[in-house]
Amino acid sequence: MGTWDVGPFDNDTAADFCASLDEAAAHDRPRLVRDALARVLDADDGPLDQHLAVEAVAAAALVAARCPGGRPATSGYGPELPVPLLPAELRDLAVRALDQVVAERSGLRELWAETDRYPHWLWSLQGLRKVLTFPAPQPVARSWARIDAWMQRHAPASYALLAPPADPAEVEAAQEAMGVRFPADLLESLACHDGITAWANLVPDQPPSSVAGIVDHWRMCVEIAEEDADPTEPAGEREPWWHPQWIPWAQSDGDSQIIDMREGPGRGRLGNAAHDDVGCFDDGWPSLAVYLTAVADALDHGGVVDGDVPYLTAKGELWWTVPGRTELNGAPLTPAPRTEPRVHRSAGPSAAGQGTPGRRGART
């Protein structure tokens, strides 16, 4: 196998697999994708052949390209012809295939482990896995209703910190002041809660901001960025430190979770803007609706969101932190109770937390 780079199509075997897709009839291409994934799962318990693993990664990338937040298969070595709509159940098949590719018995993993590009290869596969396990988004109001109900039942002190709905006039004024129209899922979220009334660890990552907090943080970042020659220019291949069309819907200590409203295929996605680094969307969510669905699912059924799971503190407050924690500042942490047992789904947040890229920084 000739390896060029860590991308799913960046080697000879993957290029040959994509060429075979182009040569096949359109109605046969979904079957070929399925077969490439199934061959990895059907392999015996011995070492997993590197060529089978490579084809499975390419097939998984094609499935991920059809998912919310997936990247189009635009590599020059990917298929030239479009792959028809793929069955939804291939997402679960692709996740399980990727798990085999990174397992100890994988010949492909063994090859990459001998190179200095091994962490980058793992990161590439973890990114695919995360996209494949994004939950199907529910309406934002439905997700907030589930989150509210969970907190009312299990963490009423935390529920009391959620602010009432935002004033529509204030929301409209904020959009005018920022020169950015808010996406529908943010408008729906603000119509449920205008952020929180005091800092609390109610969701993974930064806590949601009020409309006033969004405007204040946005204005501060724009003013700081204006000191640069052109704050909207990426730093090489990286994102800029700030862009005026980023909406800081959630923030804490100068860091924010942002909604990208720039034109293009990434419009509406979530990313992170740290106070001491450039913006990052590598481990973000395709939309606020998907993120809040994952949070509600984790509370109701258990699961991991951005590397964190929900707990209850000794005071009965909701707290998100890494799996396996047993205490917080010397006081016990207990796993958050589940509202309902998890039902099997082809893609849900429980799987999303396994082996996915974590966000920057660790909460203590």
Side-chain angles (χ1 to χ4, degrees), residues 155-163 197:
S158 295
Y159 175 73
L161 298 178
L162 289 167
T197 59

Side-chain angles (χ1 to χ4, degrees), residues 231-251:
T232 67
E233 280 295 320
E237 296 183 355
R238 301 184 299 166
E239 295 287 344
W241 180 81
W242 187 259
H243 194 286
Q245 290 184 296
W246 290 349
I247 302 173
W249 92 279
Q251 64 91 20

Side-chain angles (χ1 to χ4, degrees), residues 166-174:
D167 180 352
E170 186 179 5
V171 174
E172 181 61 32

Side-chain angles (χ1 to χ4, degrees), residues 26-201:
H27 66 273
D28 279 336
R29 291 174 201 150
R31 176 184 59 81
L32 295 177
V33 172
R34 178 190 294 274
D35 288 350
L37 298 170
R39 281 193 291 270
V40 166
L41 299 175
D42 293 341
D44 58 33
D45 293 334
L48 177 62
D49 181 77
Q50 58 175 297
H51 299 286
L52 294 183
V54 165
E55 291 183 351
V57 170
L62 294 175
V63 177
R66 292 284 190 169
C67 299
R71 297 181 179 180
T74 55
S75 168
Y77 303 103
E80 295 181 2
L81 300 177
V83 176
L85 188 64
L86 299 171
E89 61 266 22
L90 288 190
R91 293 176 66 179
D92 180 66
L93 196 66
V95 169
R96 292 191 288 124
L98 289 177
D99 288 345
Q100 292 302 311
V101 170
V102 299
E104 290 289 338
R105 72 188 189 98
S106 169
L108 183 61
R109 176 186 178 276
E110 184 178 355
L111 287 176
W112 276 108
E114 297 173 352
T115 74
D116 58 0
R117 297 285 286 165
Y118 178 58
H120 302 279
W121 178 74
L122 280 180
W123 186 268
S124 173
L125 298 194
Q126 289 164 355
L128 285 180
R129 197 185 193 285
K130 182 171 185 178
V131 169
L132 290 164
T133 53
F134 282 143
Q138 293 184 339
V140 166
R142 169 59 181 158
S143 293
W144 269 121
R146 294 171 59 199
I147 295 168
D148 290 356
W150 189 95
M151 285 196 286
Q152 283 179 299
R153 180 175 181 181
H154 300 292
S158 295
Y159 175 73
L161 298 178
L162 289 167
D167 180 352
E170 186 179 5
V171 174
E172 181 61 32
Q175 295 177 89
E176 292 293 330
M178 295 167 59
V180 182
R181 303 308 298 179
F182 291 180
D185 49 8
L186 178 57
L187 293 174
E188 194 173 353
S189 180
L190 292 169
C192 297
H193 297 292
D194 188 20
I196 56 179
T197 59
W199 187 92
N201 192 359

